[in-house]
Amino acid sequence: MDIPHTVEARPDTGLYNAKVGIWLFLASEVMLFGALFSSYILLRVGAEAWPHGLLSVPIGTFNTVVLITSSITVVLAWASLKLGDLSRFKLYQGCTVLLALTFVAVKSFEYRDKFTHYYVRLQDGTELNGHLAGNPLNWTAANLADTNRVGASITFHPDAAGGEGEGAHGGHAEPIELTAANVAKLESWGPWRSTYLAIYFTLTGLHALHVIGGALVIAYLWGPGSRMWRSDPERFTNRVEVCGLFWHFVDLVWIFLFPVLYLL
Amino acid sequence: MSEHHAHEIRQATRKYIYVFLALLLGTVITVVAAYVPFGSRSLNVAVALLIASAKAFLVAGFFMHLISEKKLIYGLLGATGFFFAGLMFLIVWSNADQFLSIFR
């Protein structure tokens, strides 16, 4: 059975069906991210203090440029198909996949940076933020009390500023030794650490899932999916356009996420 | 494919490159503006959101072809925009005191 209106426009809408479909989907996506953005506003306005400088602006700027560049390669790939040039399409769309992978790799690096950055409260009430020697991932006080490490200690390098935020990317103060006996609380800067980190991980995590999903579809159309170019080139071009619309939306969301989470 | 059609696509491609350059410039302006003290943080927030909106307009208008789209899509997005605005205003109304305190 043939799916109707994959190439020719429906007389009543003036559009091929997949285009109406993707816009309906994007409308639902606007509401999904809109709900999370409004949650962000609610949390920020209601917070007594909002941290600044927890994220690296150069890294965030780099990822913004990566996504913007991937948007232009997507649209140039589609334009190449319109000009009947499959090899150029492959070149541009291949670049898009690489850029998407770069974005996800950088994001993973940023996430790892948070899960290896720690808040510690000592038994005497002193509160510190910093790094553990060897940068272990997501430790808690339970790791210090590990029976296999009885009597052992781990070196902690406090941030120079001492408080959250300002010293996140600065130098370190004098190191101290942590043991199960002198630590009351130890936790990484995961989503549980603060309201800001909770909404940061929620928004960027959902966005990263969109990047991964979009990259998978783009990679499919670049690889095995491109066989359709030989049998039905116009339909294939429309598939690439629809996929591109989703990708631009992902870029558009990041355009707002970047200043909201990294700069303000 | 007609020569006229190919010419149109090539023209559009040039436009995409200009939009891309404008987006890069917008990113630089966003970062620089974040470090400029406008007097209050709320003003910095407003400026950043204004630049982000301009960049979003470029992406949606040119890369997503919304500048010349069919009526059905405009209708669909109009309805989405209405509910999205509602979502944002609900938050503002529920926190009117805090929001007003920004301007005091």
Side-chain angles (χ1 to χ4, degrees):
Chain A
M1 189 189 78
D2 276 347
I3 303 170
H5 304 290
T6 53
V7 173
E8 80 286 1
R10 255 177 75 127
D12 50 355
T13 64
L15 297 155
Y16 60 92
N17 280 355
K19 200 164 191 179
V20 180
I22 193 70
W23 275 112
L24 278 169
F25 175 65
L26 291 183
S28 74
E29 290 276 85
V30 168
M31 296 314 286
L32 172 64
F33 278 100
L36 287 171
F37 269 111
S38 65
S39 306
Y40 167 89
I41 299 170
L42 187 67
L43 293 171
R44 181 163 178 168
V45 171
E48 283 181 17
W50 198 251
H52 297 98
L54 257 59
L55 302 171
S56 162
V57 172
I59 292 178
T61 309
F62 174 78
N63 251 0
T64 305
V65 172
V66 166
L67 266 199
I68 288 173
T69 311
S70 74
S71 247
I72 181 82
T73 55
V74 157
V75 80
L76 290 179
W78 169 78
S80 302
L81 287 183
K82 282 281 186 188
L83 292 169
D85 192 340
L86 184 69
S87 58
R88 200 161 272 262
F89 157 79
K90 288 247 180 183
L91 174 73
Y92 285 130
Q93 213 63 323
C95 289
T96 309
V97 175
L98 288 178
L99 289 163
L101 290 176
T102 306
F103 181 89
V104 175
V106 171
K107 203 76 223 142
S108 316
F109 171 78
E110 282 187 290
Y111 275 13
R112 189 184 159 75
D113 187 53
K114 290 287 155 280
F115 284 103
T116 55
H117 203 160
Y118 288 90
Y119 160 84
V120 61
R121 190 173 70 241
L122 303 177
Q123 291 291 1
D124 65 7
T126 312
E127 292 181 303
L128 296 164
N129 287 282
H131 291 89
L132 292 173
N135 278 330
L137 198 65
N138 200 31
W139 269 31
T140 61
N143 291 89
L144 293 172
D146 191 337
T147 48
N148 295 322
R149 303 184 68 260
V150 171
S153 65
I154 189 163
T155 309
F156 181 74
H157 302 275
D159 293 335
E164 284 185 25
E166 310 309 326
H169 301 282
H172 284 112
E174 279 299 301
I176 56 170
E177 290 299 313
L178 299 186
T179 63
N182 71 358
V183 169
K185 186 178 184 181
L186 175 72
E187 69 178 6
S188 69
W189 285 17
W192 40 79
R193 178 70 206 113
S194 67
T195 308
Y196 167 81
L197 285 168
I199 195 73
Y200 162 73
F201 278 106
T202 306
L203 278 166
T204 57
L206 185 68
H207 178 264
L209 283 178
H210 280 73
V211 172
I212 293 166
L216 284 173
V217 176
I218 290 171
Y220 170 76
L221 292 175
W222 176 80
S226 66
R227 277 197 296 264
M228 186 186 262
W229 175 252
R230 286 198 293 270
S231 58
D232 199 344
E234 281 189 69
R235 188 177 173 193
F236 179 65
T237 307
N238 285 348
R239 280 187 170 186
V240 169
E241 183 182 15
V242 161
C243 173
L245 284 171
F246 175 77
W247 192 256
H248 297 312
F249 174 78
V250 171
D251 181 23
L252 211 146
V253 170
W254 183 258
I255 283 174
F256 285 97
L257 283 183
F258 172 58
V260 159
L261 295 173
Y262 286 74
L263 299 171
L264 300 175
Chain B
M1 182 180 53
S2 72
E3 199 45 48
H4 174 69
H5 179 66
H7 179 70
E8 270 184 5
I9 297 290
R10 284 196 190 92
Q11 264 192 332
T13 303
R14 257 197 302 279
K15 202 160 57 189
Y16 297 144
I17 302 286
Y18 291 139
V19 170
F20 169 63
L21 295 174
L23 287 171
L24 289 183
L25 183 70
T27 303
V28 173
I29 296 173
T30 307
V31 175
V32 172
Y35 293 103
V36 176
F38 287 115
S40 75
R41 189 168 283 278
S42 50
L43 212 55
N44 274 79
V45 171
V47 169
L49 290 181
L50 208 67
I51 301 166
S53 302
K55 286 170 73 184
F57 171 79
L58 288 176
V59 172
F62 295 97
F63 288 171
M64 298 172 93
H65 306 134
L66 273 186
I67 210 113
S68 56
E69 202 36 281
K70 295 283 185 292
K71 270 186 194 159
L72 179 76
I73 304 292
Y74 289 143
L76 183 68
L77 289 179
T80 311
F82 174 76
F83 286 107
F84 180 82
L87 209 55
M88 296 299 154
F89 277 113
L90 269 179
I91 299 300
V92 175
W93 283 328
S94 68
N95 286 276
D97 290 348
Q98 283 103 317
F99 272 99
L100 288 174
S101 69
I102 293 171
F103 302 102
R104 277 184 210 128

